[in-house]
Amino acid sequence: VPVDIVGEVKISSHLNMPDNAKAKFGTGSDLQIYHDGTNSFIKDTATNLVLNTDSLLVSNAANTENIIVAQGNGAVTLYHDNAVKLATSSAGVSVTGTVTADGLTVDTTTLVVDASNNRVGIRTSSPSSALETVGGDGITISNSGDTFLQLKTTGTTATNYIEFKDSGGSAGNISYNHTDNYLATKVNGSERMRIDSSGNVGIG
């Protein structure tokens, strides 16, 4: 039988409710709390379920292992088997372990991993090959700062080249000049061989 109570209700001991008996809140019973014999539920059909606290701790039933710890104006930490796996800080996010994702986008087009096609794009959101870079100065693979392999791209009206440079600064490259349509090879900074637009080969 429904009972209307005006004012406070104080319970000095326990409030025992059988399975599936619901504690309902709100004019339309928007918030309900109950246990169905196996699982416990907090069911909310309102716009938001708001939890106001300066410190949140979610642990296992025995209260021996952390699952989630969140501090107001501080870190949020996620655990697996009581070991920290993800933690926020003022500097960003720290992840411990392997990150598995079906895609990755950094700053829209800076770096895009298209996992569905197994492709990686730099400065492009839709890479068309296994690794594609669009714009910029090309790709540099460096060792000790000045020893590198560089794939230089300057567009279709200038010269593109693959350059090899040693620690002493000496460079060799294979370049293609789009303006005059020739392929050249340089050693130690000087051109040593060229294939011109007619297919003629010049050495030295």
Side-chain angles (χ1 to χ4, degrees):
V1 178
V3 177
D4 292 330
I5 300 175
V6 178
E8 295 184 359
V9 176
K10 295 182 179 180
I11 301 174
S12 58
S13 184
H14 301 287
L15 176 62
N16 294 319
M17 301 175 64
D19 292 342
N20 295 305
K22 300 177 180 179
K24 299 181 179 181
F25 304 86
T27 302
S29 300
D30 296 329
L31 175 61
Q32 301 179 9
I33 302 174
Y34 64 98
H35 181 75
D36 70 354
T38 303
N39 301 303
S40 299
F41 295 87
I42 299 177
K43 184 178 180 181
D44 179 57
T45 59
T47 302
N48 295 300
L49 176 63
V50 180
L51 179 62
N52 295 119
T53 180
D54 291 328
S55 180
L56 172 67
L57 169 63
V58 180
S59 67
N60 65 342
N63 197 30
T64 56
E65 293 187 0
N66 292 335
I67 299 173
I68 301 173
V69 176
Q71 301 291 336
N73 296 320
V76 176
T77 307
L78 303 182
Y79 295 76
H80 176 82
D81 196 18
N82 210 35
V84 175
K85 293 300 178 182
L86 186 147
T88 67
S89 69
S90 59
V93 179
S94 297
V95 178
T96 302
T98 301
V99 177
T100 302
D102 59 4
L104 173 66
T105 300
V106 178
D107 193 23
T108 307
T109 58
T110 298
L111 176 66
V112 173
V113 176
D114 179 3
S116 61
N117 294 302
N118 294 323
R119 296 170 179 168
V120 176
I122 300 173
R123 294 191 180 95
T124 175
S125 60
S126 54
S128 58
S129 57
L131 174 62
E132 180 179 1
T133 177
V134 176
D137 296 327
I139 300 174
T140 299
I141 303 173
S142 178
N143 179 26
S144 302
D146 57 359
T147 301
F148 63 77
L149 165 64
Q150 185 177 56
L151 281 69
K152 184 76 172 181
T153 174
T154 55
T156 59
T157 59
T159 301
N160 295 340
Y161 59 85
I162 302 173
E163 183 170 76
F164 311 86
K165 186 176 181 180
D166 61 28
S167 58
S170 298
N173 67 50
I174 301 171
S175 63
Y176 185 80
N177 184 291
H178 294 279
T179 303
D180 298 319
N181 291 317
Y182 68 80
L183 180 68
T185 301
K186 290 184 178 181
V187 178
N188 196 22
S190 298
E191 184 176 320
R192 304 300 185 187
M193 184 176 71
R194 177 183 296 197
I195 304 174
D196 65 17
S197 60
S198 297
N200 299 316
V201 179
I203 300 176

